[in-house]
Amino acid sequence: MSASINDTELLAQLKTGDLAAFRHFYIAYREWLYITAFTILKNETEAQELVQEFFIDFCQKNLGVRINLDKTPALQHFLFVSVRN
C-alpha cells in the first residue's frame, strides 16, 4: 500500500475489505479521531473508548461501503460527524 494514498483510493480499497487499507486507515486517522473526541468529551478514557468503538463499528457494520465522497466533502468530515454523534 502506498504511503501517499488519498482518501478516495483508501475508501475504494476499504469497500473491498482490504485489510492493508484498514490498517492504513486506522494508523492515519486514529490519533486525529482521538484528539477530536477528547476536544468534545474533555475526558481521556472516554475519548479512547469512543475511538475504539468507532473502529469496531466501522468494521462490524461495514461503514466504509456507506461513505460516498461525492456527497461528503471529505473522509475527515464523515469521521468528525461520526465521533461527534
Side-chain angles (χ1 to χ4, degrees):
M1 164 139 334
S2 168
S4 64
I5 187 170
N6 68 36
D7 285 348
T8 303
E9 293 169 344
L10 178 60
L11 187 57
Q13 292 174 0
L14 286 169
K15 288 180 180 185
T16 68
D18 184 331
L19 184 57
F22 181 78
R23 232 179 272 122
H24 181 83
F25 173 64
Y26 178 79
I27 291 167
Y29 287 103
R30 174 191 53 190
E31 186 175 344
W32 183 85
L33 282 169
Y34 169 75
I35 291 167
T36 301
F38 181 76
T39 300
I40 294 167
L41 299 171
K42 307 288 191 244
N43 182 296
E44 288 182 29
T45 303
E46 289 179 9
Q48 290 170 348
E49 289 174 1
L50 180 64
V51 171
Q52 183 178 12
E53 288 174 23
F54 168 81
F55 281 110
I56 291 169
D57 284 349
F58 190 90
C59 289
Q60 290 179 341
K61 296 178 182 176
N62 205 10
L63 295 178
V65 172
R66 298 180 189 173
I67 304 170
N68 182 349
L69 291 182
D70 293 334
K71 294 182 179 178
T72 304
L75 183 55
Q76 261 189 338
H77 176 75
F78 169 81
L79 298 174
F80 174 78
V81 170
S82 295
V83 168
R84 182 191 69 199
N85 292 340

